Every structure is written in C-alpha cells, then in structure tokens.
Amino acid sequence: MSTQHTPSDDRRTRTESGNEPAWLLVTRREVVSRITDKSFLIGTVLMVAMLAGFIGFTAWQDGKTDSVTLGATPDAVAMATAVKDAAPEVDDSVKITLVDLDDEDAAKAALREDDIDAWLHPADDGWQLTSESSEQDSLTTVVQTVVRQTVLADNAAKVGTSVADLEAGTTVSTDFLRGDAEKASVAQAVGFVFVFLFYLSALIFGMQLASSVIEEKQSRIVEIIAAAIPLRQLLAGKVLGNTALAMIQLLIYLAVGLVGLSFTSYSSYVPALSGPAAWFIGFFLAGFVALACLWAVAGSLASRAEDLQTTSTPLTMLMLVMFFGGISLDGRGQVIASFIPPVSAVVMPKRILAGGVEWWEPLLALGLLAAFAAVTVMVGERLYRRALLQTGGRVSLRQAWSTAE
C-alpha cells in the first residue's frame, strides 16, 4: 500500500535550519565519518604507495642496464666479438663484457667460479651458449639474434646472394580488425586495471554500506532516524556519500597512475589513455550507483551481521560475473556484453581502450547503463523502505516487495 505525500514529509526532508535537505546531511555525514576514519585513510595511502611503487619499479626496470660477462675460447672469439659489438642494436639494455678463455676446461672453471655468466662455443649443429645453472635470458636473446644474422650473412655470401634476398617475403606483421595493434598490450593491461578498480571499489564500499545499514537496523537507531527524515532520503544520502568516497579514491588512483606512467617508457601513451579514463569515470559512476543501492537493499534484508552473507550472495555473484567477464571476454562476446548493464560498466571502457569503437557506441552503452541504474534505484528504494523497519529475522525479497508501508 502506498503512502500519501503530505506537507509534513516536506518538512521532514529539511534539517532544523530549514535550508539543508536531509539527504545532503546524510551524505555529508557518510563522507566526513569515513574520510576521517584511520582505516580508510591508511587503505588509500597504501594503495597509492603500491601503485606508485609498481610504476617506479617499472620505470627503474626500463632504465636498468643488464651487465653480463661472456666467455669465449679461441674458436669462438670472432663470433663473441660480433655479439658484443651488435648487442646495443638488438637490446640497448644489455651490456656485454668479453672474456678470452684458453680452452674448454678454463671455460668450465670460470663458470663454476662465477667469473663469467655464459660461455659461447661451437657445437655440431651451430653454436652453444653454456651457463652454470640458469639461463641468461637477455644474453640468450642477443646471442641467438646476432649468431643467426652473422651465419645467415656468411651462408648468403657463399652462394652469391644477400640476406635481404633470402628473407624477402618472410616478414609477418600483426593487425586487428578493430583497434590499433601497436597499443594492444598497453590497452590490455590498463583495461585490467579498470576492471580491478571497479570490482575492488564496489566490493569494499558496498560491504561497508550494507554493514552500516545492518548496524543501524540492529541497534534500532534507524527507527529514530525514520521519525526525523523519510527513508528514501536516508537511502539517497548513504548511496551518494559512498559514491562520492569511491569517486575520490578512483580519481586519486587514476591521477597517480597517469602521472606515474608519464615517467616510464610508456609515456607516449598517456594522451591516448586520458580519453578512455574519462569514459571509465562516467561508466564507473553509473555502475557504482546501481550496485550501491543494491548493497543497501542487501543490508536492509538482514537483521543481523551474520545474515549479510546470505542476503548479499546474489550481488556478490553478479560482481564476480562482471569481474571475470571484464577480463576474459573478447571478440563478439565482448561487443555484446559492452551494451548489457551492469557488465557494460567494465567491458565498454576496455573496448574504448583497444580502439575501433564507433562514436555512438559508448554513448548508447552509457545511456543503457544510466537507465539500468535509474530502474535499480527505484526498485531498490521500494525494497529498502519496506524491509528496513522489519525485525525478527531475515526478510526475503518477496516479503519486502509485498509488505505494506
């Protein structure tokens, strides 16, 4: 049974000063109580430190020079010298120091004593690079490339041709029907970050929102609040407050990520990532509002903290579907999912990152997601109001929907 709106309802939506809406008061209370909470501040700082540390480590690795020592017996000095001289062209992060060795026994002794990292010598079917107990990955790549080029040039000269003629038509390039192949790997990595940030924020803030609803319900404080302001105002304030906090964190993480990326070898991608990041903020906002409202409903259906695991199970499963769908879908499945709310909140930003998306596709997907959020808020508001004041046990969705107000 619906209730009739009366002038007293309007008065109850204002604070005692008569100028501030009740939902704004609740929103500010949510933001202030959380933003001054030590656990929230410490968690945010730790996340920023981890993000900055990872980017800093990546930048350090990009600028790091791998110094290796290559030993060569007399029968391999010429080839080893060619490897040393050509190494900067193959990999400028590898610096090779050449050590001349008298014979095979001297080479093995140098390996055991760690005087050299690897020993280059001829083998029955070509050349062999021997190390003490583990492969030198960067050195192996350089040696394989240089040896192949050198031997191929010698063989070509013997038959009166050139390496270019021998390799004509052997080049294999990659491309995508949709998107830019050059930035595919970066788009994949950043897309995973988008999906992870959405999942992490929705889970953490959602659980905290549901827990606060249960605490107010279990302590009967909500009955006092309900006498002062309409429950829909309470719900709006809680959802908006947690959304504001999640947005603050998200903007901090994105700012740190983009600024940090500009100090790495991937700095050229920062301008191209700014647009998709802005789209992600829009999709994050619409998707988070919908899920936050559902988390509030999950809290209102429970009467004790122990009930939350049961009432939130469908929502947790939905979030897992969004997470794994966001990181694993590709091809036609990804295109279809990018228009289906709420999965589109994480899938469409990934498609925008990869490129090849028509201008109208993000607008349509965002419009559908916003419509889904609006419907979710309306349905969730009804369930929340009708379940919040029911005590004595867990409330089912059917009970909450059909209960008279």
Side-chain angles (χ1 to χ4, degrees):
M1 182 177 67
S2 61
T3 58
Q4 184 179 2
H5 183 79
T6 65
S8 62
D9 292 326
D10 294 327
R11 290 192 294 270
R12 290 169 60 215
T13 63
R14 301 283 175 171
T15 60
E16 293 180 359
S17 63
N19 295 320
E20 187 175 49
W23 63 265
L24 185 57
L25 176 64
V26 177
T27 300
R28 186 165 64 245
R29 184 194 67 173
E30 290 286 323
V31 172
V32 172
S33 63
R34 290 295 312 283
I35 214 167
T36 56
D37 182 63
K38 287 185 178 180
S39 60
F40 173 81
L41 296 175
I42 292 174
T44 302
V45 170
L46 286 177
M47 188 67 176
V48 169
M50 290 174 59
L51 186 60
F54 175 77
I55 294 175
F57 177 77
T58 302
W60 176 73
Q61 283 287 93
D62 290 340
K64 180 183 176 183
T65 300
D66 190 7
S67 299
V68 292
T69 303
L70 178 64
T73 45
D75 53 357
V77 171
M79 181 63 75
T81 302
V83 170
K84 175 179 177 296
D85 294 340
E89 300 176 7
V90 179
D91 188 347
D92 58 5
S93 66
V94 178
K95 180 181 179 181
I96 297 177
T97 300
L98 189 61
V99 175
D100 293 332
L101 302 168
D102 295 333
D103 51 30
E104 179 178 341
D105 292 336
K108 292 180 178 180
L111 284 172
R112 294 191 188 98
E113 297 296 328
D114 288 333
D115 293 332
I116 59 174
D117 295 307
W119 163 40
L120 181 65
H121 55 97
D124 294 337
D125 56 348
W127 292 84
Q128 185 170 318
L129 188 65
T130 303
S131 55
E132 201 276 327
S133 60
S134 60
E135 185 173 335
Q136 305 292 321
D137 294 333
S138 58
L139 176 61
T140 299
T141 301
V142 171
V143 170
Q144 288 175 339
T145 301
V146 176
V147 168
R148 179 182 180 279
Q149 292 173 345
T150 303
V151 173
L152 191 59
D154 291 342
N155 293 339
K158 290 178 182 178
V159 297
T161 185
S162 65
V163 175
D165 292 336
L166 290 175
E167 292 184 337
T170 63
T171 301
V172 178
S173 59
T174 60
D175 195 9
F176 293 104
L177 184 63
R178 298 175 64 88
D180 183 358
E182 184 179 357
K183 63 177 183 180
S185 59
V186 175
Q188 186 70 20
V190 177
F192 174 80
V193 172
F194 282 177
V195 175
F196 179 74
L197 285 178
F198 187 96
Y199 175 79
L200 187 67
S201 297
L203 184 63
I204 292 178
F205 285 99
M207 288 293 293
Q208 291 173 346
L209 174 57
S211 298
S212 70
V213 172
I214 294 176
E215 290 175 5
E216 293 174 352
K217 183 176 180 179
Q218 192 171 9
S219 63
R220 315 288 298 252
I221 292 177
V222 70
E223 298 177 9
I224 300 175
I225 298 175
I229 62 174
L231 293 180
R232 60 171 55 90
Q233 297 277 325
L234 177 62
L235 174 63
K238 284 184 171 295
V239 170
L240 292 175
N242 282 272
T243 301
L245 289 166
M247 287 296 296
I248 291 172
Q249 273 197 344
L250 177 68
L251 292 174
I252 291 174
Y253 297 155
L254 289 179
V256 171
L258 291 175
V259 171
L261 201 63
S262 64
F263 291 96
T264 69
S265 59
Y266 303 102
S267 59
S268 60
Y269 291 103
V270 173
L273 293 176
S274 301
W279 275 110
F280 175 63
I281 293 172
F283 278 92
F284 179 91
L285 179 60
F288 186 89
V289 168
L291 292 178
C293 189
L294 294 178
W295 276 110
V297 171
S300 68
L301 294 175
S303 294
R304 303 174 304 160
E306 293 80 3
D307 297 331
L308 181 59
Q309 183 176 0
T310 301
T311 60
S312 64
T313 296
L315 186 53
T316 304
M317 296 300 295
L318 174 62
M319 292 183 58
L320 286 174
V321 169
M322 293 178 64
F323 178 76
F324 288 108
I327 64 176
S328 62
L329 286 174
D330 57 9
R332 186 175 296 276
Q334 186 184 62
V335 174
I336 295 173
S338 66
F339 295 100
I340 301 177
V343 183
S344 58
V346 293
V347 177
M348 181 55 80
K350 281 193 66 177
R351 288 190 59 211
I352 296 173
L353 275 169
V357 178
E358 298 294 336
W359 65 267
W360 56 267
E361 293 184 79
L363 293 175
L364 176 59
L366 186 57
L368 292 173
L369 182 60
F372 171 80
V375 173
T376 302
V377 168
M378 288 189 293
V379 174
E381 185 262 346
R382 172 170 173 156
L383 293 171
Y384 176 84
R385 286 189 292 109
R386 299 188 177 202
L388 189 61
L389 297 179
Q390 295 190 46
T391 58
R394 190 170 66 248
V395 183
S396 67
L397 286 173
R398 178 178 296 181
Q399 290 174 324
W401 185 261
S402 59
T403 298
E405 296 185 65

